[in-house]
Amino acid sequence: MAKWCHRFSPTTGLELGDSPETILLDATNLAPLYGSEESFAAQVIEGFRRLGLEVRGALASSIGAAWAVARLAAAGGERLTVVPSDQTQDALAGLPIAALRLDDGLRETLQDLGVQRVGDVLALPRDQLRSRFGPQLLLRVDQSLGVAREVFAAVEPPEELVVEQSFEYPQSNREALHGIVDELLRRLAWMLARRCAGALRLACRFECEGAPAAELEIGLFQPTADPGRLLEILELEMERLRLRAPATAISLRAVRHGPLAERQGALFDEQRNLESSWRLARLVD
């Protein structure tokens, strides 16, 4: 499931531990590609729904806060809870101390002392937390508040890179569909570029309401992560595409990709050759 989530974020993984139960996605720098971080998180939730899975999610400025809110605050039925970065402490304060991911022994000690909520911990003198309870409690508090750095166990991406967009309502407007494909290409190109890779074969799939999906493929002469070039070729194929019903989702898949070539720029034209010519590659495409 974490590998499947690579269609939304280039960095996905699992919480640390022997039996992970939470998938983590890094939303850093994704807002320009989705319109907002909230739109990004909503697409993840909707993607799982389309798989027939019910999930609870949270978007927060730290791993600890997102974990706590998704597992404890969202238990009331909300599928997605968004925590603004300036409200992290308030969101955590009312949660049970289990939200701090403490060892069982330390959690029981705190409960025996009457400390039931995260807010109770935050009310204690900070300079006494380490001396009275050891380093773990202070570390977990700082991680949850985003003061201390925390990482998670990232998983390798699948061979095929995929991005997708689901619609709240079926979409049939061709101009709108072209705009969504353009956005998806920018996301896919960004994922490819982060891996210093370019697409060689691309598949575009339109899920249709109550009708078979429509799919088209394009091949490229050289690997490219240029969204403008990919869109130029894909739009030629889309002009011939006929949807049998309004689209409910669109996905783009890099079926084949290869390393992007990095070459020293030539000072004189005669130093260029056909094999390395991007102009020739564009013409062939």
Side-chain angles (χ1 to χ4, degrees), residues 30-49:
L30 294 182
L33 300 173
Y34 284 86
S36 67
E37 289 183 341
E38 290 80 359
S39 297
F40 156 74
Q43 279 295 312
V44 177
I45 299 295
E46 178 63 17
F48 277 110
R49 188 197 66 78

Side-chain angles (χ1 to χ4, degrees), residues 8 13 66 90 137 144 156 169 171 179 195 204 210 216 248 256 277:
F8 302 112
D90 293 338
L137 179 59
S144 296
E156 289 295 319
Y169 303 103
Q171 182 65 256
R195 295 171 172 83
C204 182
L216 55 88
T248 57
R256 286 180 57 220
S277 171

Side-chain angles (χ1 to χ4, degrees), residues 29-265:
N29 298 324
L30 294 182
L33 300 173
Y34 284 86
S36 67
E37 289 183 341
E38 290 80 359
S39 297
F40 156 74
Q43 279 295 312
V44 177
I45 299 295
E46 178 63 17
F48 277 110
R49 188 197 66 78
R50 291 182 58 240
L51 291 178
L53 300 171
E54 288 297 325
V55 298
R56 291 197 303 269
L59 176 69
S61 57
S62 71
I63 292 175
W67 183 95
V69 172
R71 295 180 65 90
L72 299 170
E78 287 293 326
R79 292 200 302 164
L80 174 62
T81 305
V82 178
V83 181
S85 57
D86 59 349
Q87 297 178 23
T88 301
Q89 183 167 325
D90 293 338
L92 292 171
L95 299 180
I97 58 170
L100 294 176
R101 301 169 294 164
L102 304 172
D103 292 342
D104 292 342
L106 178 55
R107 186 173 68 251
E108 291 172 3
T109 297
L110 289 167
Q111 289 173 334
D112 289 343
L113 294 172
V115 178
Q116 302 294 330
R117 303 277 172 183
V118 175
D120 298 335
V121 176
L122 298 176
L124 296 173
R126 180 180 171 84
D127 57 357
Q128 297 181 20
L129 292 181
R130 181 182 293 273
S131 59
R132 294 183 63 182
F133 303 106
Q136 185 193 116
L137 179 59
L138 190 58
L139 174 63
R140 286 305 199 189
V141 168
D142 287 345
Q143 286 177 337
S144 296
L145 295 177
V147 177
R149 176 177 167 80
E150 185 178 3
V151 298
F152 61 82
V155 298
E156 289 295 319
E159 286 299 315
E160 293 186 355
L161 297 178
V162 182
V163 292
E164 68 176 35
Q165 175 84 32
S166 302
F167 312 138
E168 188 173 357
Y169 303 103
Q171 182 65 256
S172 59
N173 182 277
R174 302 288 292 196
E175 186 175 341
L177 293 176
H178 277 248
I180 293 164
V181 169
D182 185 17
E183 292 178 9
L184 289 173
L185 280 171
R186 289 191 296 113
R187 282 161 48 186
L188 184 63
W190 185 73
M191 292 170 65
L192 286 164
R194 279 178 58 98
R195 295 171 172 83
C196 295
L200 279 168
R201 179 162 291 279
L202 207 62
C204 182
R205 182 180 176 88
F206 295 81
E207 301 290 344
C208 298
E209 184 182 33
E215 187 165 341
L216 55 88
E217 283 197 17
I218 61 170
L220 297 115
F221 183 69
Q222 289 177 350
T224 181
D226 180 356
R229 182 172 163 193
L230 293 169
L231 180 63
E232 187 178 33
I233 305 165
L234 197 57
E235 282 187 329
L236 292 174
E237 294 294 326
M238 287 180 62
E239 291 299 325
R240 296 192 288 268
L241 184 69
R242 294 293 178 264
L243 302 180
R244 298 183 180 181
T248 57
I250 302 176
S251 63
L252 280 177
R253 187 172 80 255
V255 181
R256 286 180 57 220
H257 52 82
L260 287 175
E262 296 183 5
R263 299 183 179 90
Q264 178 68 40

